[in-house]
Amino acid sequence: MRYVTLLLIFLGIFSFASAQSGTLTGLITDAENNQPLNGASIRVVGTYLGGLTDAKGNFRIQGIKPGDYSVIITYIGYAEREYNGIRIVAGSTQNLQIALNSSVSTLGEVEIVGQRTLIDLESGKSGVNIGQDQISQMGVTNVQEVAARQLGVNLTPDGLQIRGGRVYETEYVVDGVSAQDPLSGTGFGVEVNSAALQNLEVITGGAEAEYGNGTSGVVSARIREGGKRWTVNGNYRRDNLGFNVNQGPSWNTDEADISMGGPIIKKKLTLFLAGSAGMTDQFFRSQATQLQNSMLKNPELWAPRYDNKYTGTFKLAYTFKPGLKFTLTQQNSLAINQNTRTLQVVGNDQIVTPGFQFPYSLNLDNANTYLHRTSLTVLAARAILGPQWTTDVTLGRLFVNLRADANGRPFRTETVDQLYDPASIVTDPVTLFNPGDTAVYVFPGPGLINNGGIATVWHDHYVNELSAKVKFNYQSKTKVHYMTFGWEHKEQEYQWIDVARPWVGAAIQINDSLTTPATSLGSSSDLWRVRPATGGWFYSDEIRYKGIIASLGFRLNYWAPGKFVDDAVANPDAPVLDAIREQYADQTFGFLDRNWKARLLPRIRVSFPVTENNVLYFNYNHAMRLPHPRFVYAGLDPVFQDRSFLANLGNPNLNPEVSVAYELGLKSQINRDLAASFTAFYSDRFDYIVTRAITVRDQTGRFVEKSFYINQDYARIRGAEVSLTGRMGKWLMGSVSGAYQIATGKSNTAAESALQIRQNGFVNATKEQYLAWDRPFEFKGLLIFTPDSTIHIGRMPLRGFRATLSANYNSGLRYTPYNLVGVNDQTGRPEYEPIETQPYAKVGKAWFWLDFRLSRDFFFGKYGRASVFFEVKNLTDYKSPAIINPVTGKGYENGDPVPLAWRDPYYPDPQDRGTPPNNPARYLAPRHMFFGVQFAF
């Protein structure tokens, strides 16, 4: 209720009225033959006003209140035209002379005249669409950094979070095809460099029915095409000048990209190419001598630093004839690093945590190295079938492969003749505890692995996903209905191999003789190869009537776990519970020799003007996200089963996680240079995955305990957002925005519910708690200064200079507070323990960063320009804690008290366990300075 009250106050502030009005008149003709167009539609955006041309192509719209408007002209068979910044003055008449182009040559694209509006009053959804010209001024390198600049989007060590959701709940598409790695769980897969983007759309609320697998939002990237003439663009930046490598704000970073595009056959065939490379040692001041990976050839070339990323882009566009266009996109990316967040199953047992392998920091040559390679191929066709019909056909192939090993070491040797288990061991000099007592102890090791042991994870997965999508668009002759409907389908192949401590169970060789045979595949393992399928039918009808725009639609999603699950359910030897077998039979339907499930997702979107240039909108949206495949397939093979204690067991009958979201907002175009918006949102999340311990019979006939997955958890997210965007002439543009939101639920991860049962004997079934990823407050600001020759400092004109200043403030990470419970009699250490009744009740020190970029352009006439720039990330060197010390609510500093479960370097104890608290990744990145050059010809 309080959000509705705020909305009414906001409306009162930004609405306006006038006793006098103005008139808009004009003539609309055909651009080719200059003949008048009878019956063309004109609408004044943000009002109920509009009209049609007469037989002579003239129109007249009266009663328009003074202000700045956008005017949209449509006519069957012609390209839609949008005029922005049309100023209506009281008591006067504004006249437009308009010549429309045939849509046969424009494929239904909208032609825009004048500066783009600061806000889209015709869209009833929340989000932004950012073009290449804006992206180039941001100083960002990839899709995630572009998206993170938008309100409601946070970039954490886990990935992108949209409006309080988990990172994997965001749908990510490139050229209309899913570009996510469905097995890594991070929400992203194919990397796209910012230089290769034509535009990026970030939808935080009210997504169209064609998007089918994102419960938090959608990030949709469109790859550039070659233009009418050849252009070449490049960018190179580094953070050192050669003498200050890995010193101060330098982390030995080099980043470069280059792109080119243009026509191969005039008006027929264009080509766009782009490539990028980024290498850095990060700010941890610790790295391996050389990164290795068992899939990587020439590691010295491809992995010279701690973190290495590469992208390659290829796009052909062929206009077969007017109204028929084909595109072929190939997007590749490769990443080699030691960041554990590369492989994660968020929602299982992970919350926001840095990916630096601090336990191995004394010898990162023995830590895990991750190689993530992706390839996305998209073949698309767009055709105009008639004056009212267009169609889009898209075929795609996504291939992803992720390998994690102990820095290039093989899965395991034929025989084991040395100790591989990592441990922190006692080293010289030995320090005694209570040396004069009858019981004498030595202090343990430093908590960091120092025995030559290697990383315990060996992992490999691949995804091969083939997709097809057909979409039709229909616009009625009256322009009242704009219908979109279609179908998409994906045939997938997943392989997952996950082994802990793979040397366990291998043959042991002593004195050059084989003494024991191989007995198992590591201390625990999970192996499966499956072929699921997913898809959906979608339909929406956008109805326009006198300024009111209502979009009514639905999406019918379907999915099949595949033959692997069907066979496991039918096999009495497979470890599937009888109750699950019965549910699977009752809740699925057979088709084409597979068992399927389906779910209907309704979607409603309505917007209408409340006063001129003030539009109220409402969204009601059902969305779903299929569970991570590991929750479905783990341990179901009747032969290859993990025999370790509490091994994972998948649930063949798991349902998707579902969100039901509501949104109410107001968009206001105050004048052509100032716009504002206010949004209140609420979302219920159902059927989150939780873990239960169950007993099943394994392949040996014994009853064993397994970790089993079910749909039972839920969460609620509610909040409000406000933003203000303005510009001063052509040389200054800025925006400020803020949000407040709360995310509550029963548990943070699937594993947490099982932990509650072990600790308390039950799940906290009645009381919601704050969720670990809840970040109540968010504020963002952006200022872009692009002076022209009229702006001077003294006598020096500032034309060619550009400056960008961006600020970001977020509430800190949530944590459970601790209380002082006593002092250790022997060591004198204060002992702090958690307040179990207040899980995640406190918010840690806030995150803040201020980024600055200054560039100077040098123009070479009609040939192009070159730029030099200076850039600073985290200008104030603010310490944003990524690991919270729950005693202080901040990042750990030397001398701070720490929880009893933590190692305290100021109070050594023979029972110390775990790593020291001074992990260099406990803070986000410090100040980082770049120098660079750009060119565009």
Side-chain angles (χ1 to χ4, degrees):
M1 187 65 188
R2 63 176 180 268
Y3 295 142
V4 176
T5 303
L6 287 171
L7 181 61
L8 294 175
I9 294 173
F10 186 86
L11 177 59
I13 293 173
F14 290 104
S15 64
F16 61 91
S18 174
Q20 290 185 302
S21 61
T23 301
L24 179 67
T25 63
L27 172 66
I28 301 179
T29 60
D30 183 297
E32 293 184 9
N33 56 34
N34 202 33
Q35 293 299 307
L37 297 178
N38 181 14
S41 172
I42 305 96
R43 65 179 186 269
V44 182
V45 176
T47 74
Y48 293 103
L49 302 174
L52 299 173
T53 56
D54 58 21
K56 296 182 178 180
N58 295 310
F59 69 89
R60 183 180 185 86
I61 302 173
Q62 296 176 309
I64 307 175
K65 292 182 179 179
D68 298 310
Y69 296 92
S70 292
V71 177
I72 295 179
I73 296 92
T74 58
Y75 190 70
I76 294 174
Y78 289 81
E80 183 175 300
R81 181 80 60 82
E82 178 179 334
Y83 285 84
N84 295 322
I86 301 299
R87 177 156 290 177
I88 302 297
V89 179
S92 67
T93 298
Q94 174 71 269
N95 185 268
L96 295 178
Q97 300 293 314
I98 303 165
L100 296 183
N101 296 309
S102 169
S103 62
V104 173
S105 60
T106 60
L107 279 170
E109 296 176 359
V110 178
E111 298 176 356
I112 296 176
V113 179
Q115 282 187 305
R116 286 187 176 271
T117 56
L118 296 175
I119 197 167
D120 187 355
L121 293 178
E122 292 223 307
S123 174
K125 59 189 177 185
S126 293
V128 293
N129 196 327
I130 313 141
Q132 172 58 220
D133 54 344
Q134 297 168 283
I135 294 171
S136 63
Q137 297 182 47
M138 289 182 174
V140 292
T141 59
N142 56 44
V143 166
Q144 295 191 60
E145 289 184 1
V146 177
R149 293 285 183 94
Q150 314 314 314
L151 182 62
V153 183
N154 289 314
L155 184 59
T156 74
D158 284 339
L160 281 181
Q161 293 178 309
I162 294 182
R163 282 190 175 175
R166 294 173 174 174
V167 297
Y168 67 85
E169 295 174 345
T170 300
E171 184 170 1
Y172 172 47
V173 297
V174 173
D175 277 6
V177 174
S178 174
Q180 292 174 290
D181 179 351
L183 298 183
S184 74
T186 62
F188 274 75
V190 178
E191 193 73 56
V192 179
N193 185 266
S194 60
L197 289 172
Q198 177 63 38
N199 67 282
L200 183 74
E201 185 176 20
V202 181
I203 304 173
T204 57
E208 287 84 354
E210 66 177 281
Y211 296 112
N213 201 27
T215 51
S216 281
V218 178
V219 175
S220 177
R222 182 67 58 181
I223 302 297
R224 293 171 63 182
E225 297 179 12
K228 296 180 180 180
R229 63 180 184 87
W230 276 95
T231 60
V232 180
N233 298 270
N235 175 71
Y236 173 72
R237 66 177 185 174
R238 69 181 313 181
D239 63 357
N240 66 85
L241 300 176
F243 57 83
N244 59 332
V245 177
N246 277 323
Q247 295 178 13
S250 166
W251 316 336
N252 195 21
T253 301
D254 289 276
E255 296 174 349
D257 63 69
I258 188 168
S259 61
M260 63 182 67
I264 297 177
I265 302 176
K266 189 176 181 180
K267 295 185 179 181
K268 281 287 187 179
L269 181 64
T270 65
L271 171 67
F272 177 78
L273 298 170
S276 71
M279 298 159 285
T280 180
D281 281 332
Q282 289 290 357
F283 60 91
F284 313 126
R285 310 300 187 195
S286 181
Q287 56 266 336
T289 305
Q290 173 64 61
L291 292 191
Q292 311 277 349
N293 188 278
S294 47
M295 286 201 310
L296 182 64
K297 296 180 180 179
N298 302 318
E300 297 83 3
L301 173 65
W302 293 103
R305 314 276 171 84
Y306 173 86
D307 192 355
N308 311 271
K309 295 178 180 179
Y310 306 91
T311 69
T313 305
F314 169 91
K315 188 167 186 177
L316 278 174
Y318 179 60
T319 302
F320 182 75
K321 64 178 182 178
L324 179 59
K325 184 178 182 179
F326 296 91
T327 60
L328 174 64
T329 303
Q330 180 66 45
Q331 181 68 39
N332 291 356
S333 63
L334 176 68
I336 311 107
N337 55 50
Q338 291 193 318
N339 183 355
T340 63
R341 310 313 279 165
T342 304
L343 171 64
Q344 58 179 325
V345 184
V346 177
N348 177 43
D349 56 3
Q350 303 283 348
I351 56 175
V352 182
T353 307
F356 178 58
Q357 298 179 64
F358 184 48
Y360 289 90
S361 56
L362 295 179
N363 187 5
L364 285 170
D365 289 329
N366 291 349
N368 274 123
T369 297
Y370 300 86
L371 187 147
H372 200 196
R373 59 190 180 108
T374 62
S375 175
L376 178 68
T377 307
V378 182
L379 176 62
R382 189 174 194 196
I384 294 177
L385 304 180
Q388 298 166 254
W389 288 87
T390 64
T391 185
D392 295 272
V393 179
T394 306
L395 302 176
R397 177 184 182 262
L398 172 67
F399 180 80
V400 178
N401 189 195
L402 173 62
R403 169 72 60 84
D405 56 31
N407 202 27
R409 292 171 176 81
F411 170 70
R412 70 182 183 191
T413 56
E414 185 177 349
T415 59
V416 176
D417 58 4
Q418 68 182 83
L419 183 66
Y420 291 117
D421 277 303
S424 174
I425 62 175
V426 177
T427 57
D428 290 330
V430 175
T431 304
L432 300 179
F433 182 77
N434 283 346
D437 202 289
T438 55
V440 178
Y441 304 92
V442 296
F443 284 106
L448 303 175
I449 294 165
N450 61 345
N451 70 329
I454 63 174
T456 60
V457 173
W458 197 95
H459 176 94
D460 185 275
H461 75 243
Y462 76 78
V463 174
N464 189 25
E465 185 173 275
L466 303 177
S467 62
K469 182 177 181 179
V470 180
K471 182 174 74 171
F472 293 93
N473 302 299
Y474 168 78
Q475 189 172 43
S476 65
K477 291 184 178 180
T478 61
K479 304 294 183 180
V480 173
H481 296 274
Y482 186 87
M483 286 181 275
T484 299
F485 56 92
W487 168 71
E488 71 172 326
H489 182 79
K490 298 177 185 177
E491 290 290 334
Q492 301 150 321
E493 182 181 12
Y494 301 157
Q495 177 173 286
W496 177 276
I497 303 173
D498 196 74
V499 182
R501 302 167 72 229
W503 56 85
V504 173
I508 299 176
Q509 181 174 332
I510 301 176
N511 297 327
D512 297 326
S513 63
L514 189 64
T515 58
T516 62
T519 58
S520 66
L521 193 64
S523 59
S524 65
S525 59
D526 187 10
L527 298 85
W528 34 266
R529 185 167 66 180
V530 298
R531 291 181 173 85
T534 63
W537 297 88
F538 57 90
Y539 171 86
S540 67
D541 184 6
E542 185 175 275
I543 305 168
R544 296 175 179 267
Y545 181 73
K546 292 186 177 180
I548 300 174
I549 304 175
S551 178
L552 310 176
F554 67 87
R555 183 179 177 94
L556 180 63
N557 270 359
Y558 60 82
W559 63 97
K563 190 173 184 298
F564 179 87
V565 162
D566 295 343
D567 291 346
V569 171
N571 187 349
D573 295 328
V576 179
L577 298 178
D578 291 339
I580 298 299
R581 298 180 196 272
E582 295 174 5
Q583 292 172 11
Y584 190 76
D586 293 340
Q587 298 174 15
T588 61
F589 60 92
F591 182 69
L592 296 178
D593 201 31
R594 285 190 279 194
N595 284 40
W596 303 80
K597 282 189 175 185
R599 189 178 187 103
L600 184 66
L601 306 169
R603 298 184 180 181
I604 301 173
R605 198 169 68 208
V606 181
S607 66
F608 56 92
V610 286
T611 63
E612 283 70 13
N613 278 333
N614 290 275
V615 174
L616 189 68
Y617 66 96
F618 169 77
N619 290 317
Y620 173 71
N621 192 306
H622 283 229
M624 57 165 270
R625 180 77 179 190
L626 290 172
H628 190 282
R630 180 186 181 190
F631 298 151
V632 177
Y633 302 110
L636 292 182
D637 193 299
V639 177
F640 299 103
Q641 291 185 23
D642 186 355
R643 302 186 188 184
S644 63
F645 174 71
L646 212 62
N648 297 317
L649 179 62
N651 181 352
N653 201 48
L654 271 183
N655 290 318
E657 298 174 352
V658 177
S659 75
V660 179
Y662 308 83
E663 184 178 25
L664 180 65
L666 174 72
K667 296 181 179 181
S668 177
Q669 183 76 45
I670 301 168
N671 56 49
R672 71 175 74 181
D673 294 320
L674 187 63
S677 68
F678 176 87
T679 306
F681 57 89
Y682 181 96
S683 176
D684 281 316
R685 307 293 172 90
F686 301 101
D687 287 340
Y688 274 152
I689 310 299
V690 299
T691 305
R692 294 290 181 268
I694 63 168
T695 302
V696 296
R697 193 186 298 272
D698 70 3
Q699 70 271 40
T700 67
R702 302 174 304 163
F703 284 98
V704 295
E705 195 174 43
K706 301 275 188 179
S707 290
F708 186 66
Y709 304 104
I710 61 173
N711 299 104
Q712 192 176 75
D713 207 352
Y714 75 89
R716 292 190 301 158
I717 303 168
R718 55 273 195 200
E721 299 172 345
V722 62
S723 68
L724 185 67
T725 304
R727 60 186 168 219
M728 183 181 296
K730 297 180 179 180
W731 51 271
L732 186 63
M733 180 174 179
S735 65
V736 291
S737 58
Y740 173 76
Q741 66 182 28
I742 292 295
T744 58
K746 294 295 185 62
S747 57
N748 289 287
T749 65
E752 186 175 300
S753 59
L755 181 62
Q756 291 177 5
I757 292 177
R758 293 193 192 102
Q759 291 177 339
N760 308 322
F762 60 90
V763 176
N764 183 10
T766 59
K767 184 179 178 181
E768 292 184 21
Q769 66 183 40
Y770 290 108
L771 297 175
W773 60 85
D774 175 47
R775 314 287 292 281
F777 288 99
E778 173 192 355
F779 298 98
K780 292 184 178 178
L782 176 66
L783 191 64
I784 301 175
F785 180 57
T786 53
D788 55 24
S789 57
T790 63
I791 308 299
H792 296 73
I793 293 181
R795 294 185 177 182
M796 183 181 71
L798 294 183
R799 181 177 182 268
F801 283 92
R802 288 180 293 165
T804 303
L805 185 68
S806 64
N808 198 103
Y809 172 94
N810 285 98
S811 296
L813 299 176
R814 283 199 173 271
Y815 67 96
T816 301
Y818 276 59
N819 267 347
L820 178 66
V821 296
V823 177
N824 187 290
D825 293 335
Q826 291 183 311
T827 63
R829 173 182 175 176
E831 297 182 342
Y832 294 86
E833 292 188 346
I835 306 175
E836 300 290 355
T837 58
Q838 300 181 32
Y840 295 100
K842 295 290 186 180
V843 178
K845 183 183 177 183
W847 288 9
F848 172 77
W849 56 91
L850 191 67
D851 297 341
F852 174 73
R853 178 185 173 96
L854 177 65
S855 65
R856 175 68 165 93
D857 294 338
F858 299 92
F859 299 92
F860 302 96
K862 64 180 181 180
Y863 298 104
R865 64 176 174 84
S867 307
V868 294
F869 63 85
F870 170 68
E871 187 174 347
V872 186
K873 303 286 190 181
N874 192 5
L875 180 65
T876 63
D877 203 23
Y878 184 88
K879 291 186 174 181
S880 300
I883 300 175
I884 296 292
N885 176 359
V887 174
T888 64
K890 303 182 295 183
Y892 172 80
E893 295 291 343
N894 290 337
D896 284 352
V898 296
L900 183 60
W902 287 26
R903 178 189 292 260
D904 191 333
Y906 284 86
Y907 298 95
D909 190 299
Q911 300 183 53
D912 276 342
R913 296 292 183 270
T915 58
N918 60 340
N919 184 342
R922 67 189 183 276
Y923 294 109
L924 298 184
R927 182 187 295 124
H928 197 190
M929 299 171 60
F930 290 95
F931 308 88
V933 295
Q934 284 181 307
F935 62 85
F937 294 100

